[in-house]
Amino acid sequence: MAGSTFGTHFKITTWGESHGKGVGVVVDGCPAGLSLTEEDIQKFLDRRKPGQSKFSTQRKEDDTAEILSGVFEGKTTGTPISLMVHNKDHHSKDYGEIASCYRPGHADYTFDMKYGFRDYRGGGRSSGRETIGRVAAGAIAVKILEQMGISFVSYTRSIGAVSISSSPEELLSEPPAEIARNILSNPLYMPEMEPCHQAQAFLETCMEQKDSAGGVIECIITGVPAGIGEPVFDKLDANLAKAVFSIGAVKGFEIGDGFSCASSTGSKNNDSLTMKNGRTSFVTNHAGGILGGISTGAPIIFRAAVKPTPSIASLQNTVDKNGKDIELSIHGRHDPIIVPRAVVVVESMAALTLLDLMLEQMGSRMEYLQQFYSE
Amino acid sequence: MAGSTFGTHFKITTWGESHGKGVGVVVDGCPAGLSLTEEDIQKFLDRRKPGQSKFSTQRKEDDTAEILSGVFEGKTTGTPISLMVHNKDHHSKDYGEIASCYRPGHADYTFDMKYGFRDYRGGGRSSGRETIGRVAAGAIAVKILEQMGISFVSYTRSIGAVSISSSPEELLSEPPAEIARNILSNPLYMPEMEPCHQAQAFLETCMEQKDSAGGVIECIITGVPAGIGEPVFDKLDANLAKAVFSIGAVKGFEIGDGFSCASSTGSKNNDSLTMKNGRTSFVTNHAGGILGGISTGAPIIFRAAVKPTPSIASLQNTVDKNGKDIELSIHGRHDPIIVPRAVVVVESMAALTLLDLMLEQMGSRMEYLQQFYSE
Amino acid sequence: MAGSTFGTHFKITTWGESHGKGVGVVVDGCPAGLSLTEEDIQKFLDRRKPGQSKFSTQRKEDDTAEILSGVFEGKTTGTPISLMVHNKDHHSKDYGEIASCYRPGHADYTFDMKYGFRDYRGGGRSSGRETIGRVAAGAIAVKILEQMGISFVSYTRSIGAVSISSSPEELLSEPPAEIARNILSNPLYMPEMEPCHQAQAFLETCMEQKDSAGGVIECIITGVPAGIGEPVFDKLDANLAKAVFSIGAVKGFEIGDGFSCASSTGSKNNDSLTMKNGRTSFVTNHAGGILGGISTGAPIIFRAAVKPTPSIASLQNTVDKNGKDIELSIHGRHDPIIVPRAVVVVESMAALTLLDLMLEQMGSRMEYLQQFYSE
Amino acid sequence: MAGSTFGTHFKITTWGESHGKGVGVVVDGCPAGLSLTEEDIQKFLDRRKPGQSKFSTQRKEDDTAEILSGVFEGKTTGTPISLMVHNKDHHSKDYGEIASCYRPGHADYTFDMKYGFRDYRGGGRSSGRETIGRVAAGAIAVKILEQMGISFVSYTRSIGAVSISSSPEELLSEPPAEIARNILSNPLYMPEMEPCHQAQAFLETCMEQKDSAGGVIECIITGVPAGIGEPVFDKLDANLAKAVFSIGAVKGFEIGDGFSCASSTGSKNNDSLTMKNGRTSFVTNHAGGILGGISTGAPIIFRAAVKPTPSIASLQNTVDKNGKDIELSIHGRHDPIIVPRAVVVVESMAALTLLDLMLEQMGSRMEYLQQFYSE
């Protein structure tokens, strides 16, 4: 299992620690013939880059991706694409004092229990920097999916108690590219301005109180054809759940109406089917675009709950490696909220999952095989 | 990917349709030397058996498991355990009228889009009967885990708007075996009597209105040692999320405080560590027993949201295979709620996930290898 | 790993022991829409059935395959196909005396070392009966491949020192179906009559001497398009090597000129390319149809060396479970040679391997994805 | 499948092309706590480094490995180890003339058929340089296995018609470390001097004739405990066969007596068991240390046939991309034989395979789980 590899057909393997030489990813199984440049990757990495606003860590990293293999004359060759980002601005000495204690809300204690010791510098492998590899790979997956008419709209739905008011359906009244532009125009990646300002005010209070906040990320995928996803264990929603839950701070995942389904009734929750412009379609989308683990053709809608950043400057009780109760205050450069920077990570994981299942789907019927091999 | 196989070390493959000759599972990678009888399996199957109360389908199935291989003289041999349950009481003719139309909330349409046609009898492969294989395998996993001091407490937290009032921590004031007895003593598998009665009244109303209900299942796992789970993609919570989300009607999954983390703050949400009886422990358990994807040693707590049964007797709008809008009323024997019968499925999937990662953990340190191979 | 599952897209899981209730296989990932009956499977099973001639075990088994799932109205549904053969004529008491000792050339000792004990009846899981599941699955794979113009010619090349004289190329002067007919017309499955008679005489001598013999199986696959196989670890020849070597008694595997390449030179061993009827083709086929792990379009040719049956009636030295040196003479019903019955097992494993990589190939280029998803 | 990843527990992913920025490997699942330095890796890479003698390509590469992650304070952390070797001395212009034609014996044609085009510089991904990643990972696997008392002796058995005369058993009369020293003392990595000189003379003739040669590599693994390997598809010998066959020029693989078993008889080929110094042991080792896919405790012995280097300077017939018959003479720096440099690649692949199955074995019995989790 090992655990640093994700996907079956479009398979990624990430590596690297916060304060090592760098972080990277190997993407294996990328179809040959895709135009790909380092700029394609960079656009995605920039969405998670630190230091963009006062609400993200002031660590200065260019986070510049280098393509080391798998691209020839501007096109993917079908062989592994190795991508690397060098670490630069790491202040390892900042972490000297936490080497011997367990920060609450972090993986310090669990890593020690698992491996006997840990690379404590900046969280080592459990650092958010590990997600750079995911985002670099996600950029490739999204580019491939776009060429098949699939679009992603990913944003911050809420921060603390502040939430946007539009439903996904309401947001979709505008074209995906338009919504994306709105989202990227503000540092919290919210698609509505009013809650965005409220959230900023809330975050400033958090920071004054040496505290941190969490929030909810929502992702809408449009253009997915019906039929994607495997019916039993590799359901599209099950694989999305795993993909998104594998992101460090995620504590909840739901699809369509999610937890509110539990208090609904069958007659309200079922989405009626109807013919519309000669095509089978759904009157509502409580299901979030997936039935029986397989895409319906309606937009796929899911949400992830992200916990407040565990690194806070206020005093906390904890223990050290020698089993002594101590008090700890975490200094250094930390995001008061990681939700905005995690938006692109969620989108990336969703794209990797979807593409993998779309590749699987190509062999699902005898007629597909016969067509393919008769050409 | 194929999709009917789950797990890496303790690997299960389910097969079978609602109205075929039977359903079954092959369990590969079960350690040799476990005492195992058909009764061990049966106890678990009985918890999901239909016809137990008026709130579950009146389909009469013995659901008797037969062990076909992998057990010799009462012990597992280390080779695949093949388990089968024959289908008996299937009224395929009940389904004649739905062969040509798409039931709302079901996988009829998506299966047709995926495969070009489907075994429409009783939902075919997308029927809840597929979970028999999961539960049979889960019974084995739970038995193994019990021998390592691990206990499962799984129950219905809410049905519709009716919820139990105790927190998992409050429930855990009693020993797991005691709570389990309480839960199994009522048809809704709720650990508190008052909400159980309210929920029964609510369900009766639902049935009168030809409607159905959903609910929330909660699972607590105690005795899990710290250190289980892989740090990146195969996080314990990510694999649990996938495992639980692969169950048909699940629409949401959360761990620990889950979605409510999103509106908390770091200072409230972080669980302080402290020394207690000479052992590192956590003052609170907002994290639900997992940090950085690895178990902390505290109880693992998660919840799954289950949608209302999509099969309802009241009239619904839908389309048929020829692209015609029609009205449909679903007859036959259907659960007004599937939550109680799904409790053991959730527990089974959790056990399979946990055991798989516990097997993985055995090779995580050089000292473990040296100890093992020096013996 | 677990080890009873083979394949990624077209994935099979076998189960069962020689003297348990039966043996079987679950085939997951079979494309939907293939016509499939139990007769399709039976034709293949009959090629490995015991009791066909005096050169195979006199155990009487119908070896009748039952399809338990995955086929609806005569067609595969895309969901798992569960196949089972019940064990009938097992004389478990024959094995009482070997329960406590280790037969030379068998897996008795290694199973005990691995699992602590074993199902000793008839070899348990290490029995040749395990291959029934492979052959049943292979029958499906071959049927699919035939519909894409791919043919298998598999036969006994040699038994003991007796070998056929024709090269694969010479055999291919006749159409595959014709050669297949010849091969199946004699109990040793040799494509030439003269060596077949010599081999029968040799085997009779072996039997008189209470001894056994080995041989070489050759397999030719025609009609495979160029481009199948993954360039690094999942090379077509590497996966074939594993597939064939996973059959019990195989001790060697070679492709094309195989071991004789080692004493050839580059100028002789390289296959020149040339245009022939407007198509790129190869003047010779020393490579056996694979270059760099990828099919060339030329016939794929490989051989497997099969050791003599380890069960012999003459006296052998060995040890028992209590660590005592003993003498052993194996009674019961045993094949003096397993080569002929293994021919169809080799073919089946080759078909499973090839089909799996052909499914993988469908996602190898952006143009394939775009074509597939624009339809 | 994708194909650039090998292993389940100890999982490696290689990347890189001959003339790209570099080649590398990510090793995931390495146990924590292993002392590891770049020198450990370098020792192995030096055994396959070009330019060591006149019998290997004169391409000058330092082939210096850099550890990019997964090691902290001199020890592996349990997280992925990323290793990279930069490409330096690549003369891409040498390859201009072969960009548009298909070299016989190379993967040029098959890559084009698979992907539509290829990185033609130096063979791109199908270059022998890909094996650098395997050897770097193999160095780690061998180091781990050594700490469990397992030794590898790998060497050239034959070149062209020249073969060493000692059997593996005879070689093993000296301790592994001594044999290894002998082997590394000559450029052909043969353990006997006389055939080594003959082989050198033969190779000089080959070079004068602008031709190339092949040979056989043999590998002996001592100290492997009984019980390693999974009984059905993941047999130790099956996985070794795949591992070794996935190396570019390998055309044959055999274990123990291999192909010569086919003409032996059961009474000669079976290895008798006997008690020796109170331990079960085998009188002979025709089986090569594996029965039923599981190690017996005797030395594991296998051989791989390597074809002659396909790049030869003499004139060859082939076709170009436009479908025109042409004549081709390959210039540039090429090995007249690749066998000696491939020895360490074979050893590396064997070590990776063995370690992976040894990790799997740790969860094979209930008593192992109980022991591990009671500590």
Side-chain angles (χ1 to χ4, degrees):
Chain A
M1 191 170 311
S4 294
T5 296
F6 184 83
T8 299
H9 306 271
F10 194 89
K11 186 183 289 205
I12 74 164
T13 303
T14 71
W15 58 267
E17 291 92 29
S18 181
H19 288 56
K21 294 197 176 173
V23 291
V25 67
V26 181
V27 179
D28 198 19
C30 181
L34 175 75
S35 295
L36 189 72
T37 65
E38 286 165 353
E39 287 68 45
D40 291 322
I41 313 292
Q42 204 56 49
K43 274 191 304 185
F44 265 63
L45 290 183
D46 287 350
R47 289 168 60 190
R48 77 160 293 292
K49 210 162 68 173
Q52 305 279 69
S53 81
K54 62 181 162 188
F55 305 120
S56 79
T57 170
Q58 295 307 301
R59 175 171 174 167
K60 294 272 179 291
E61 291 280 2
D62 284 338
D63 285 356
T64 310
E66 189 181 6
I67 298 178
L68 298 171
S69 70
V71 177
F72 181 59
E73 298 181 342
K75 285 189 186 294
T76 58
T77 60
T79 60
I81 303 168
S82 180
L83 291 155
M84 180 176 179
V85 167
H86 284 84
N87 289 334
K88 287 176 187 160
D89 180 35
H90 44 73
H91 295 192
S92 295
K93 59 184 177 305
D94 286 2
Y95 293 94
E97 64 169 3
I98 59 154
S100 62
C101 76
Y102 299 130
R103 293 169 297 165
H106 278 282
D108 300 345
Y109 175 67
T110 53
F111 264 65
D112 266 17
M113 288 300 99
K114 184 171 194 68
Y115 297 118
F117 76 113
R118 71 185 192 281
D119 177 351
Y120 52 79
R121 302 165 304 164
R125 181 73 178 146
S126 71
S127 162
R129 279 189 78 70
E130 180 273 329
T131 61
I132 286 179
R134 306 180 184 216
V135 172
I140 302 174
V142 168
K143 186 163 191 189
I144 293 172
L145 292 169
E146 278 174 352
Q147 300 195 8
M148 294 186 279
I150 294 167
S151 299
F152 288 80
V153 178
S154 320
Y155 48 88
T156 304
R157 165 154 289 276
S158 69
I159 286 178
V162 184
S163 178
I164 63 166
S165 56
S166 310
S167 68
E169 286 73 16
E170 288 165 345
L171 286 172
L172 284 179
S173 63
E174 285 186 89
E178 185 72 18
I179 321 171
R181 213 175 355 260
N182 271 348
I183 292 165
L184 294 177
S185 72
N186 71 77
L188 300 184
Y189 298 148
M190 281 180 136
E192 291 174 11
M193 288 311 101
E194 183 51 29
C196 180
H197 296 143
Q198 290 170 22
Q200 295 194 36
F202 165 65
L203 288 174
E204 277 163 25
T205 316
C206 276
M207 289 168 79
E208 281 163 23
Q209 296 171 345
K210 300 183 176 178
D211 212 339
S212 65
V216 172
I217 294 169
E218 192 162 59
C219 181
I220 309 173
I221 319 176
T222 58
V224 180
I228 308 303
E230 299 300 308
V232 182
F233 297 113
D234 289 319
K235 286 184 162 78
L236 176 49
D237 36 359
N239 283 10
L240 283 171
K242 172 175 172 146
V244 172
F245 238 99
S246 75
I247 304 168
V250 171
K251 302 301 284 184
F253 176 85
E254 57 180 10
I255 194 134
D257 285 3
F259 272 86
S260 70
C261 285
S263 49
S264 184
T265 60
S267 61
K268 283 186 209 130
N269 187 61
N270 284 348
D271 300 307
S272 293
L273 289 87
T274 189
M275 297 309 295
K276 199 170 155 184
N277 305 327
R279 301 188 51 180
T280 306
S281 52
F282 292 85
V283 178
T284 50
N285 189 14
H286 299 294
I290 301 178
L291 280 174
I294 303 170
S295 61
T296 64
I300 291 168
I301 298 164
F302 67 84
R303 277 169 301 285
V306 178
K307 74 174 183 181
T309 319
S311 291
I312 53 175
S314 57
L315 218 57
Q316 299 183 86
N317 295 313
T318 189
V319 303
D320 68 13
K321 285 175 73 172
N322 305 315
K324 227 183 73 185
D325 283 308
I326 59 166
E327 285 195 326
L328 178 75
S329 162
I330 299 174
H331 304 296
R333 306 153 302 174
H334 300 286
D335 297 327
I337 184 156
I338 60 170
V339 169
R341 293 180 61 201
V343 168
V344 70
V345 185
V346 167
E347 178 174 319
S348 294
M349 292 308 300
L352 292 166
T353 304
L354 177 60
L355 176 54
D356 205 38
L357 287 164
M358 288 181 73
L359 285 162
E360 176 75 15
Q361 171 65 1
M362 294 173 75
S364 61
R365 298 191 199 178
M366 272 309 287
E367 61 189 277
Y368 297 158
L369 272 76
Q370 286 168 318
Q371 223 165 330
F372 184 85
Y373 281 108
S374 70
E375 276 154 20
Chain B
M1 190 169 312
S4 293
T5 297
F6 184 82
T8 299
H9 307 269
F10 193 90
K11 187 183 288 205
I12 73 164
T13 303
T14 71
W15 58 267
E17 291 92 29
S18 181
H19 288 56
K21 295 197 176 173
V23 292
V25 67
V26 182
V27 179
D28 197 19
C30 181
L34 175 76
S35 295
L36 189 73
T37 64
E38 285 166 353
E39 288 67 45
D40 291 321
I41 313 292
Q42 203 57 48
K43 274 191 304 184
F44 266 63
L45 290 183
D46 287 349
R47 289 168 61 192
R48 75 162 293 294
K49 211 162 68 173
Q52 305 279 70
S53 80
K54 63 180 162 189
F55 306 120
S56 77
T57 169
Q58 296 307 302
R59 176 171 173 166
K60 294 271 179 290
E61 291 280 2
D62 285 336
D63 285 357
T64 309
E66 188 181 6
I67 297 178
L68 298 171
S69 70
V71 176
F72 180 59
E73 298 180 343
K75 286 190 186 294
T76 58
T77 59
T79 59
I81 304 167
S82 180
L83 292 155
M84 180 174 178
V85 168
H86 284 83
N87 289 334
K88 287 175 186 161
D89 179 36
H90 42 74
H91 296 192
S92 294
K93 59 185 179 304
D94 286 2
Y95 293 94
E97 65 170 1
I98 60 154
S100 61
C101 76
Y102 299 130
R103 292 169 298 165
H106 278 283
D108 300 344
Y109 175 67
T110 55
F111 264 65
D112 265 17
M113 289 298 101
K114 184 171 194 68
Y115 297 119
F117 75 113
R118 72 186 190 281
D119 177 351
Y120 51 79
R121 302 165 303 164
R125 181 72 178 147
S126 71
S127 161
R129 278 189 79 70
E130 180 273 329
T131 62
I132 285 179
R134 306 179 183 218
V135 172
I140 303 174
V142 168
K143 185 164 192 191
I144 293 172
L145 292 168
E146 278 174 353
Q147 301 195 8
M148 295 186 279
I150 294 167
S151 299
F152 288 80
V153 178
S154 320
Y155 47 88
T156 303
R157 168 154 286 276
S158 69
I159 287 179
V162 183
S163 178
I164 63 166
S165 57
S166 309
S167 69
E169 286 73 17
E170 288 165 345
L171 286 172
L172 284 179
S173 62
E174 285 187 88
E178 185 72 18
I179 320 170
R181 211 172 0 257
N182 271 348
I183 292 165
L184 294 177
S185 71
N186 70 78
L188 300 184
Y189 298 148
M190 279 180 138
E192 292 174 12
M193 289 310 102
E194 183 51 30
C196 181
H197 295 143
Q198 290 169 23
Q200 295 194 37
F202 165 66
L203 288 174
E204 277 163 24
T205 317
C206 275
M207 290 167 79
E208 282 161 23
Q209 296 171 346
K210 301 184 176 178
D211 212 340
S212 65
V216 172
I217 294 168
E218 192 162 58
C219 181
I220 308 174
I221 320 176
T222 58
V224 180
I228 308 303
E230 299 300 307
V232 181
F233 296 114
D234 289 320
K235 287 184 162 78
L236 176 50
D237 38 358
N239 284 10
L240 283 171
K242 172 174 172 146
V244 173
F245 238 100
S246 74
I247 304 168
V250 171
K251 302 301 283 183
F253 176 86
E254 58 180 10
I255 193 133
D257 285 3
F259 272 87
S260 69
C261 286
S263 50
S264 185
T265 61
S267 60
K268 284 186 209 129
N269 187 62
N270 284 348
D271 300 307
S272 293
L273 290 88
T274 189
M275 297 309 297
K276 200 170 155 184
N277 306 327
R279 300 188 51 180
T280 306
S281 53
F282 292 84
V283 178
T284 50
N285 189 14
H286 299 294
I290 300 178
L291 280 175
I294 303 171
S295 61
T296 64
I300 291 168
I301 299 163
F302 67 85
R303 277 171 301 285
V306 178
K307 74 175 185 182
T309 318
S311 290
I312 52 175
S314 58
L315 218 57
Q316 299 182 85
N317 294 313
T318 189
V319 303
D320 67 13
K321 285 175 74 173
N322 305 315
K324 226 182 76 184
D325 284 308
I326 59 166
E327 284 195 327
L328 178 75
S329 163
I330 300 175
H331 305 297
R333 306 153 302 174
H334 299 287
D335 296 327
I337 183 156
I338 61 170
V339 169
R341 293 179 61 201
V343 167
V344 70
V345 186
V346 167
E347 178 174 319
S348 294
M349 291 308 300
L352 292 166
T353 304
L354 177 60
L355 176 55
D356 204 39
L357 286 164
M358 288 182 73
L359 285 163
E360 175 74 16
Q361 171 64 0
M362 295 173 75
S364 62
R365 298 190 199 179
M366 272 309 289
E367 62 189 279
Y368 296 159
L369 272 77
Q370 285 167 319
Q371 225 165 327
F372 184 86
Y373 281 108
S374 70
E375 278 153 19
Chain C
M1 190 170 314
S4 293
T5 297
F6 184 83
T8 299
H9 306 270
F10 193 89
K11 187 183 289 206
I12 73 164
T13 302
T14 71
W15 58 267
E17 291 92 29
S18 181
H19 288 56
K21 295 197 176 173
V23 291
V25 66
V26 181
V27 179
D28 197 19
C30 181
L34 175 76
S35 295
L36 189 73
T37 65
E38 286 165 352
E39 286 69 44
D40 292 320
I41 312 292
Q42 204 56 47
K43 272 190 306 183
F44 266 63
L45 290 183
D46 287 349
R47 289 169 59 191
R48 76 160 294 291
K49 209 162 68 172
Q52 305 279 71
S53 79
K54 63 180 161 188
F55 306 119
S56 79
T57 171
Q58 295 307 304
R59 177 170 173 167
K60 296 271 179 291
E61 290 280 2
D62 284 338
D63 285 356
T64 310
E66 190 181 6
I67 298 177
L68 298 170
S69 69
V71 176
F72 180 59
E73 299 181 342
K75 285 188 187 294
T76 59
T77 59
T79 61
I81 303 167
S82 180
L83 291 156
M84 179 175 180
V85 167
H86 284 84
N87 290 334
K88 286 176 186 162
D89 179 35
H90 43 74
H91 296 192
S92 295
K93 58 184 178 307
D94 286 0
Y95 293 93
E97 63 169 4
I98 60 154
S100 62
C101 76
Y102 299 131
R103 292 169 298 165
H106 277 282
D108 300 344
Y109 175 67
T110 54
F111 264 65
D112 266 17
M113 289 300 99
K114 184 172 195 69
Y115 296 119
F117 75 113
R118 72 185 190 283
D119 177 350
Y120 52 78
R121 302 166 304 165
R125 181 72 177 147
S126 71
S127 161
R129 279 189 78 72
E130 180 273 329
T131 61
I132 286 178
R134 306 181 183 215
V135 172
I140 303 174
V142 168
K143 185 164 192 190
I144 294 172
L145 292 169
E146 278 174 353
Q147 300 195 9
M148 295 186 278
I150 294 168
S151 299
F152 288 80
V153 179
S154 319
Y155 48 87
T156 303
R157 166 154 287 278
S158 68
I159 286 179
V162 183
S163 178
I164 62 165
S165 56
S166 309
S167 68
E169 286 74 16
E170 287 165 345
L171 286 172
L172 285 178
S173 62
E174 285 186 88
E178 184 73 18
I179 321 172
R181 212 175 356 259
N182 271 347
I183 292 164
L184 293 177
S185 71
N186 70 79
L188 300 184
Y189 297 148
M190 281 181 137
E192 292 175 12
M193 289 310 102
E194 182 50 30
C196 181
H197 295 142
Q198 291 170 22
Q200 296 195 35
F202 166 67
L203 288 174
E204 277 163 24
T205 316
C206 276
M207 290 168 79
E208 281 162 23
Q209 296 172 346
K210 301 182 175 178
D211 212 340
S212 64
V216 172
I217 294 168
E218 193 162 59
C219 182
I220 309 174
I221 320 176
T222 59
V224 180
I228 307 305
E230 298 301 307
V232 182
F233 297 113
D234 288 320
K235 288 184 163 76
L236 176 50
D237 37 359
N239 283 10
L240 284 172
K242 172 175 173 147
V244 172
F245 238 99
S246 75
I247 304 168
V250 171
K251 302 300 284 185
F253 177 86
E254 57 180 10
I255 193 135
D257 285 3
F259 272 87
S260 69
C261 286
S263 49
S264 184
T265 60
S267 61
K268 283 184 210 133
N269 188 62
N270 283 349
D271 300 307
S272 293
L273 290 88
T274 189
M275 297 309 295
K276 201 170 153 183
N277 306 327
R279 300 187 53 180
T280 305
S281 53
F282 292 84
V283 178
T284 50
N285 190 13
H286 299 293
I290 301 178
L291 281 175
I294 303 170
S295 61
T296 64
I300 291 170
I301 299 164
F302 68 83
R303 277 172 300 286
V306 178
K307 74 174 184 181
T309 319
S311 290
I312 52 175
S314 57
L315 216 59
Q316 299 183 85
N317 294 312
T318 190
V319 304
D320 69 12
K321 286 175 73 173
N322 305 316
K324 226 182 74 185
D325 283 306
I326 58 165
E327 285 195 327
L328 179 74
S329 162
I330 300 173
H331 305 295
R333 305 154 302 176
H334 300 288
D335 296 328
I337 184 156
I338 60 170
V339 169
R341 294 179 61 201
V343 167
V344 70
V345 185
V346 167
E347 178 174 319
S348 294
M349 292 308 300
L352 292 165
T353 304
L354 178 61
L355 176 55
D356 204 38
L357 286 165
M358 287 181 74
L359 286 162
E360 175 75 15
Q361 171 65 0
M362 294 173 76
S364 60
R365 299 190 198 178
M366 274 307 289
E367 62 188 278
Y368 297 158
L369 273 76
Q370 286 167 317
Q371 225 165 328
F372 184 86
Y373 281 108
S374 71
E375 277 153 21
Chain D
M1 190 170 312
S4 294
T5 296
F6 184 83
T8 299
H9 307 269
F10 193 89
K11 188 183 287 207
I12 73 164
T13 303
T14 71
W15 57 268
E17 292 93 28
S18 181
H19 288 58
K21 294 195 176 175
V23 292
V25 66
V26 181
V27 179
D28 197 19
C30 181
L34 175 76
S35 296
L36 189 72
T37 64
E38 285 166 353
E39 287 68 46
D40 292 321
I41 312 291
Q42 203 58 47
K43 273 192 303 184
F44 265 62
L45 290 183
D46 288 348
R47 288 168 60 192
R48 74 160 296 292
K49 208 161 71 172
Q52 304 280 69
S53 80
K54 63 181 162 187
F55 306 120
S56 79
T57 169
Q58 295 307 302
R59 175 169 174 169
K60 295 271 178 291
E61 291 280 2
D62 285 337
D63 284 357
T64 309
E66 190 181 7
I67 298 178
L68 298 171
S69 70
V71 177
F72 180 58
E73 298 180 345
K75 286 189 186 294
T76 58
T77 59
T79 60
I81 304 168
S82 180
L83 292 155
M84 180 175 178
V85 168
H86 284 85
N87 290 334
K88 286 175 186 162
D89 179 34
H90 43 73
H91 296 193
S92 293
K93 59 184 177 304
D94 287 1
Y95 294 92
E97 64 170 3
I98 60 154
S100 62
C101 75
Y102 299 130
R103 291 169 298 165
H106 278 283
D108 300 344
Y109 175 67
T110 54
F111 263 66
D112 265 19
M113 288 300 99
K114 184 171 194 68
Y115 296 118
F117 76 113
R118 72 187 190 280
D119 177 350
Y120 52 78
R121 302 165 304 163
R125 181 74 177 146
S126 71
S127 163
R129 279 189 79 71
E130 181 272 329
T131 62
I132 286 178
R134 305 180 183 215
V135 172
I140 303 173
V142 168
K143 187 165 191 189
I144 293 171
L145 292 170
E146 278 174 352
Q147 300 195 9
M148 294 185 279
I150 294 167
S151 299
F152 288 80
V153 179
S154 319
Y155 48 88
T156 304
R157 167 154 286 277
S158 69
I159 287 180
V162 184
S163 178
I164 63 166
S165 56
S166 309
S167 69
E169 286 73 16
E170 287 165 346
L171 286 172
L172 285 178
S173 62
E174 285 186 88
E178 184 73 17
I179 322 171
R181 214 177 353 261
N182 272 347
I183 292 164
L184 294 176
S185 71
N186 71 76
L188 299 184
Y189 297 148
M190 281 180 137
E192 293 174 12
M193 287 311 101
E194 184 50 31
C196 180
H197 295 142
Q198 290 170 22
Q200 295 195 37
F202 166 66
L203 288 174
E204 278 164 23
T205 315
C206 276
M207 290 168 79
E208 281 162 23
Q209 295 171 346
K210 301 182 175 179
D211 211 340
S212 65
V216 171
I217 294 169
E218 193 163 58
C219 182
I220 309 174
I221 320 176
T222 59
V224 180
I228 309 304
E230 298 301 308
V232 182
F233 296 114
D234 289 321
K235 288 184 162 78
L236 177 50
D237 37 358
N239 283 11
L240 283 171
K242 172 175 171 147
V244 172
F245 238 101
S246 75
I247 304 169
V250 171
K251 301 301 284 184
F253 177 86
E254 57 180 10
I255 193 133
D257 285 3
F259 272 87
S260 69
C261 286
S263 49
S264 184
T265 60
S267 61
K268 285 186 208 132
N269 187 61
N270 283 350
D271 300 306
S272 293
L273 289 89
T274 189
M275 297 309 294
K276 201 171 154 181
N277 306 326
R279 300 187 53 179
T280 306
S281 54
F282 291 84
V283 179
T284 50
N285 189 14
H286 298 294
I290 301 178
L291 281 174
I294 303 171
S295 61
T296 64
I300 291 168
I301 299 164
F302 67 83
R303 278 170 301 284
V306 179
K307 73 175 185 181
T309 320
S311 290
I312 51 175
S314 57
L315 217 59
Q316 299 182 84
N317 295 312
T318 191
V319 304
D320 69 13
K321 287 175 71 172
N322 305 316
K324 225 182 77 185
D325 283 306
I326 58 164
E327 285 195 327
L328 178 75
S329 162
I330 300 174
H331 305 297
R333 305 153 303 174
H334 300 287
D335 296 327
I337 184 155
I338 60 170
V339 170
R341 295 179 60 200
V343 168
V344 71
V345 185
V346 167
E347 178 174 321
S348 295
M349 292 307 301
L352 292 165
T353 304
L354 177 60
L355 176 55
D356 203 39
L357 286 165
M358 288 181 72
L359 286 162
E360 175 74 15
Q361 171 65 359
M362 294 173 76
S364 60
R365 298 191 199 177
M366 271 310 287
E367 62 188 277
Y368 296 159
L369 271 76
Q370 285 167 318
Q371 223 165 329
F372 184 86
Y373 282 107
S374 70
E375 279 153 19

